[in-house]
Amino acid sequence: MKAQKIALITGATSGIGRATAERFASEGIGLILCGRRQERLDELKKTLGEQVAVHTLNFDVRDKEAITEAVHSLPQPFAEIDILVNNAGNAHGLDPIEDGSLEDWDAMLDINVKGLLYVSRAVLPQMVERKEGHIINIGSTAGKEVYPKGNVYCASKHAVDAINQGMRIDLNQYGIRVGAVNPGLVETEFSEVRFKGDTTRANTVYTGYQPLNPEDVADIIHFVVTRPYHVNIADLVVMSTAQASSTIINKEK
Ligand code: NDP
Ligand code: 8X3
């Protein structure tokens, strides 16, 4: 028997993924941390490795061969993954559909949708074999509604919503828990990525009100994974108190 549960978190180098890694480590959950920025992975391994077993994997979620190879070559005690947090993703651009960048569209659909599928496909066989496991898909309020210029990002998160439901149906027979956590606005590097490094524009997204912080979402993810096994939080939406919908935010005047 393994001494501790093992969680694989994609997009662990920043924001929600990193906060979840930190929270899981503090609760004794062993970690497989994934991302592309090696120096951040190294730093996390060093700091969180003082609390729990940590293994890092550097791959782009668009690279299905790299994912398969990395997941299939995990050493003990990481080879049996109890919890998969499908978190890696971003928005790229905020443009009306007629002006949208094809590269941005490819990035969002390839990373947020296909990347989530590739990682899940690599991890699932051992969960199916053991008839045990828990998958948390990080969706968004953008997967529940559509906002101006959100077009393709919203489409990618609506796809995550559908995949979450489809996974839960297909994996039901194996006793694998599947659920989504769908946050509203969370202050992370998300808007910096969306606006391609324009930090001034990115900061305006989070000013004039108190947005969620990544630790708020990590706290919820930890709650989700610590319910008794017969309890599956299937679909959860969380917004800051100041946010009522994608476009209604109670900002200071
Ligand atoms: P961050 O930009 O802070 O983090 C994104 C993470 O995804 C990074 O760790 C990044 O790692 C990883 N990532 C991005 N692209 C790739 C790729 N091609 N291959 C592998 N890893 C990748 O954003 P958030 O923490 O906010 O976003 C995390 C998730 O939460 C996303 O799915 C996002 O859509 C969702 N979300 C965010 C909200 C928000 O308001 N911030 C609200 C609702 C949902 P690296 O660059 O090292 O590869
Ligand atoms: C991130 C939240 O509103 O920027 O998914 O799309 S939003």
PDB file of all heavy atoms in Angstrom, residues 158-172:
ATOM      1  N   HIS A 158     -16.435  25.577 -22.814  1.00  0.00           N
ATOM      2  CA  HIS A 158     -17.675  24.807 -22.986  1.00  0.00           C
ATOM      3  C   HIS A 158     -17.332  23.358 -23.360  1.00  0.00           C
ATOM      4  O   HIS A 158     -18.023  22.422 -22.949  1.00  0.00           O
ATOM      5  CB  HIS A 158     -18.566  25.439 -24.070  1.00  0.00           C
ATOM      6  CG  HIS A 158     -19.448  26.545 -23.555  1.00  0.00           C
ATOM      7  ND1 HIS A 158     -18.960  27.776 -23.156  1.00  0.00           N
ATOM      8  CD2 HIS A 158     -20.789  26.603 -23.360  1.00  0.00           C
ATOM      9  CE1 HIS A 158     -19.964  28.542 -22.746  1.00  0.00           C
ATOM     10  NE2 HIS A 158     -21.088  27.855 -22.862  1.00  0.00           N
ATOM     11  N   ALA A 159     -16.266  23.196 -24.133  1.00  0.00           N
ATOM     12  CA  ALA A 159     -15.830  21.831 -24.474  1.00  0.00           C
ATOM     13  C   ALA A 159     -15.376  21.089 -23.220  1.00  0.00           C
ATOM     14  O   ALA A 159     -15.688  19.904 -23.041  1.00  0.00           O
ATOM     15  CB  ALA A 159     -14.704  21.875 -25.506  1.00  0.00           C
ATOM     16  N   VAL A 160     -14.666  21.792 -22.340  1.00  0.00           N
ATOM     17  CA  VAL A 160     -14.244  21.150 -21.074  1.00  0.00           C
ATOM     18  C   VAL A 160     -15.478  20.716 -20.281  1.00  0.00           C
ATOM     19  O   VAL A 160     -15.512  19.620 -19.696  1.00  0.00           O
ATOM     20  CB  VAL A 160     -13.346  22.104 -20.235  1.00  0.00           C
ATOM     21  CG1 VAL A 160     -13.083  21.529 -18.844  1.00  0.00           C
ATOM     22  CG2 VAL A 160     -12.021  22.371 -20.963  1.00  0.00           C
ATOM     23  N   ASP A 161     -16.504  21.551 -20.290  1.00  0.00           N
ATOM     24  CA  ASP A 161     -17.753  21.210 -19.591  1.00  0.00           C
ATOM     25  C   ASP A 161     -18.346  19.918 -20.174  1.00  0.00           C
ATOM     26  O   ASP A 161     -18.747  19.007 -19.428  1.00  0.00           O
ATOM     27  CB  ASP A 161     -18.737  22.381 -19.750  1.00  0.00           C
ATOM     28  CG  ASP A 161     -19.982  22.229 -18.902  1.00  0.00           C
ATOM     29  OD1 ASP A 161     -19.863  21.904 -17.723  1.00  0.00           O
ATOM     30  OD2 ASP A 161     -21.094  22.441 -19.442  1.00  0.00           O
ATOM     31  N   ALA A 162     -18.365  19.822 -21.491  1.00  0.00           N
ATOM     32  CA  ALA A 162     -18.921  18.620 -22.140  1.00  0.00           C
ATOM     33  C   ALA A 162     -18.037  17.401 -21.867  1.00  0.00           C
ATOM     34  O   ALA A 162     -18.538  16.301 -21.595  1.00  0.00           O
ATOM     35  CB  ALA A 162     -19.054  18.848 -23.642  1.00  0.00           C
ATOM     36  N   ILE A 163     -16.732  17.603 -21.911  1.00  0.00           N
ATOM     37  CA  ILE A 163     -15.806  16.477 -21.663  1.00  0.00           C
ATOM     38  C   ILE A 163     -15.954  16.004 -20.217  1.00  0.00           C
ATOM     39  O   ILE A 163     -15.932  14.801 -19.929  1.00  0.00           O
ATOM     40  CB  ILE A 163     -14.349  16.894 -21.982  1.00  0.00           C
ATOM     41  CG1 ILE A 163     -14.183  17.098 -23.491  1.00  0.00           C
ATOM     42  CG2 ILE A 163     -13.354  15.848 -21.472  1.00  0.00           C
ATOM     43  CD1 ILE A 163     -12.913  17.862 -23.879  1.00  0.00           C
ATOM     44  N   ASN A 164     -16.121  16.966 -19.306  1.00  0.00           N
ATOM     45  CA  ASN A 164     -16.312  16.593 -17.903  1.00  0.00           C
ATOM     46  C   ASN A 164     -17.531  15.680 -17.750  1.00  0.00           C
ATOM     47  O   ASN A 164     -17.477  14.643 -17.079  1.00  0.00           O
ATOM     48  CB  ASN A 164     -16.479  17.868 -17.060  1.00  0.00           C
ATOM     49  CG  ASN A 164     -16.610  17.575 -15.584  1.00  0.00           C
ATOM     50  OD1 ASN A 164     -15.711  16.988 -14.976  1.00  0.00           O
ATOM     51  ND2 ASN A 164     -17.731  17.946 -15.000  1.00  0.00           N
ATOM     52  N   GLN A 165     -18.623  16.062 -18.407  1.00  0.00           N
ATOM     53  CA  GLN A 165     -19.842  15.241 -18.330  1.00  0.00           C
ATOM     54  C   GLN A 165     -19.637  13.885 -19.003  1.00  0.00           C
ATOM     55  O   GLN A 165     -20.036  12.842 -18.483  1.00  0.00           O
ATOM     56  CB  GLN A 165     -21.008  15.968 -19.001  1.00  0.00           C
ATOM     57  CG  GLN A 165     -21.412  17.249 -18.298  1.00  0.00           C
ATOM     58  CD  GLN A 165     -22.547  17.958 -19.022  1.00  0.00           C
ATOM     59  OE1 GLN A 165     -23.581  17.366 -19.298  1.00  0.00           O
ATOM     60  NE2 GLN A 165     -22.347  19.221 -19.347  1.00  0.00           N
ATOM     61  N   GLY A 166     -18.980  13.916 -20.155  1.00  0.00           N
ATOM     62  CA  GLY A 166     -18.747  12.667 -20.889  1.00  0.00           C
ATOM     63  C   GLY A 166     -17.848  11.712 -20.128  1.00  0.00           C
ATOM     64  O   GLY A 166     -18.088  10.494 -20.082  1.00  0.00           O
ATOM     65  N   MET A 167     -16.805  12.275 -19.513  1.00  0.00           N
ATOM     66  CA  MET A 167     -15.903  11.431 -18.695  1.00  0.00           C
ATOM     67  C   MET A 167     -16.673  10.783 -17.558  1.00  0.00           C
ATOM     68  O   MET A 167     -16.488   9.603 -17.259  1.00  0.00           O
ATOM     69  CB  MET A 167     -14.806  12.307 -18.054  1.00  0.00           C
ATOM     70  CG  MET A 167     -13.614  12.588 -18.896  1.00  0.00           C
ATOM     71  SD  MET A 167     -12.450  13.479 -17.830  1.00  0.00           S
ATOM     72  CE  MET A 167     -11.123  13.718 -18.982  1.00  0.00           C
ATOM     73  N   ARG A 168     -17.529  11.574 -16.914  1.00  0.00           N
ATOM     74  CA  ARG A 168     -18.242  11.043 -15.748  1.00  0.00           C
ATOM     75  C   ARG A 168     -19.152   9.887 -16.166  1.00  0.00           C
ATOM     76  O   ARG A 168     -19.266   8.887 -15.462  1.00  0.00           O
ATOM     77  CB  ARG A 168     -19.040  12.154 -15.059  1.00  0.00           C
ATOM     78  CG  ARG A 168     -19.523  11.748 -13.680  1.00  0.00           C
ATOM     79  CD  ARG A 168     -19.987  12.922 -12.843  1.00  0.00           C
ATOM     80  NE  ARG A 168     -20.963  13.729 -13.532  1.00  0.00           N
ATOM     81  CZ  ARG A 168     -20.754  14.979 -13.953  1.00  0.00           C
ATOM     82  NH1 ARG A 168     -19.595  15.565 -13.734  1.00  0.00           N
ATOM     83  NH2 ARG A 168     -21.703  15.643 -14.562  1.00  0.00           N
ATOM     84  N   ILE A 169     -19.768  10.021 -17.333  1.00  0.00           N
ATOM     85  CA  ILE A 169     -20.654   8.958 -17.825  1.00  0.00           C
ATOM     86  C   ILE A 169     -19.833   7.700 -18.156  1.00  0.00           C
ATOM     87  O   ILE A 169     -20.130   6.599 -17.707  1.00  0.00           O
ATOM     88  CB  ILE A 169     -21.417   9.458 -19.077  1.00  0.00           C
ATOM     89  CG1 ILE A 169     -22.411  10.555 -18.672  1.00  0.00           C
ATOM     90  CG2 ILE A 169     -22.123   8.300 -19.781  1.00  0.00           C
ATOM     91  CD1 ILE A 169     -22.962  11.361 -19.840  1.00  0.00           C
ATOM     92  N   ASP A 170     -18.769   7.868 -18.932  1.00  0.00           N
ATOM     93  CA  ASP A 170     -18.019   6.694 -19.399  1.00  0.00           C
ATOM     94  C   ASP A 170     -17.242   6.009 -18.279  1.00  0.00           C
ATOM     95  O   ASP A 170     -17.033   4.794 -18.318  1.00  0.00           O
ATOM     96  CB  ASP A 170     -17.050   7.105 -20.521  1.00  0.00           C
ATOM     97  CG  ASP A 170     -17.795   7.543 -21.778  1.00  0.00           C
ATOM     98  OD1 ASP A 170     -19.025   7.317 -21.847  1.00  0.00           O
ATOM     99  OD2 ASP A 170     -17.160   8.123 -22.674  1.00  0.00           O
ATOM    100  N   LEU A 171     -16.811   6.788 -17.293  1.00  0.00           N
ATOM    101  CA  LEU A 171     -15.983   6.211 -16.232  1.00  0.00           C
ATOM    102  C   LEU A 171     -16.803   5.765 -15.023  1.00  0.00           C
ATOM    103  O   LEU A 171     -16.261   5.193 -14.074  1.00  0.00           O
ATOM    104  CB  LEU A 171     -14.897   7.213 -15.808  1.00  0.00           C
ATOM    105  CG  LEU A 171     -13.951   7.617 -16.957  1.00  0.00           C
ATOM    106  CD1 LEU A 171     -13.016   8.739 -16.520  1.00  0.00           C
ATOM    107  CD2 LEU A 171     -13.154   6.407 -17.447  1.00  0.00           C
ATOM    108  N   ASN A 172     -18.099   5.986 -15.095  1.00  0.00           N
ATOM    109  CA  ASN A 172     -18.999   5.603 -13.993  1.00  0.00           C
ATOM    110  C   ASN A 172     -18.841   4.133 -13.626  1.00  0.00           C
ATOM    111  O   ASN A 172     -18.783   3.753 -12.459  1.00  0.00           O
ATOM    112  CB  ASN A 172     -20.438   5.935 -14.414  1.00  0.00           C
ATOM    113  CG  ASN A 172     -21.464   5.377 -13.461  1.00  0.00           C
ATOM    114  OD1 ASN A 172     -21.947   4.266 -13.642  1.00  0.00           O
ATOM    115  ND2 ASN A 172     -21.777   6.127 -12.426  1.00  0.00           N
TER     116      ASN A 172
END
